[in-house]
Amino acid sequence: MNLPSVFIFNWIFLLALFPVAFFWLRRAWRILVKNDFSEVALKKGLPPPSAEKYAPYEMAINMIGGVVIVVLLVAVLGFQALASEDWVAIAGVTLWVKLFASFALGRQAHGLGPAKKKPAAGK
């Protein structure tokens, strides 16, 4: 069933992939070239104390996700090589896997569980 509303939503989703790919590739560029670790393994908007340790993993997650989305955009818009259901499925899986991987890396970098309090000095 190919309703006009489905066609419109597919185009909106396709257009939304452009800024997504841009931001992911920009984050990978900042980590790889500029050595900017301010967006590495974020938890509540803050990077971990040892962000340099997790930077290659965050860079790889963003690079792979961004490249997959760019290749998908070229395949859909340039070559019209994929059916609508196929590229939507690939884009959706890529978005979710990237989000889960970044979330898991952030939790791993900050440690699991609540923060432990340091004992007060002199007690």
Side-chain angles (χ1 to χ4, degrees):
M1 192 158 137
N2 211 355
L3 300 172
S5 62
V6 173
F7 179 75
I8 292 170
F9 283 125
N10 282 349
W11 268 103
I12 291 171
F13 184 52
L14 183 71
L15 292 176
L17 293 178
F18 282 97
V20 168
F22 171 76
F23 285 114
W24 289 353
L25 291 173
R26 184 181 68 171
R27 286 179 84 180
W29 174 264
R30 285 181 177 178
I31 295 168
L32 183 65
V33 175
K34 293 187 175 184
N35 291 327
D36 179 10
F37 304 130
S38 62
E39 295 182 4
V40 171
L42 298 178
K43 182 177 180 183
K44 296 183 180 179
L46 299 173
S50 59
E52 306 86 30
K53 178 180 174 184
Y54 296 97
Y57 304 109
E58 185 75 26
M59 189 273 306
I61 290 169
N62 284 293
M63 181 70 76
I64 291 169
V67 168
V68 168
I69 296 296
V70 168
V71 169
L72 185 67
L73 288 169
V74 169
V76 170
L77 296 175
F79 299 112
Q80 298 175 351
L82 295 171
S84 176
E85 297 84 15
D86 295 337
W87 73 259
V88 169
I90 294 169
V93 169
T94 303
L95 286 167
W96 281 109
V97 168
K98 192 274 182 201
L99 290 175
F100 284 138
S102 290
F103 179 82
L105 183 66
R107 295 316 168 265
Q108 178 67 29
H110 287 275
L112 300 174
K116 296 180 182 175
K117 294 182 181 179
K118 295 181 182 178
K123 290 187 177 181

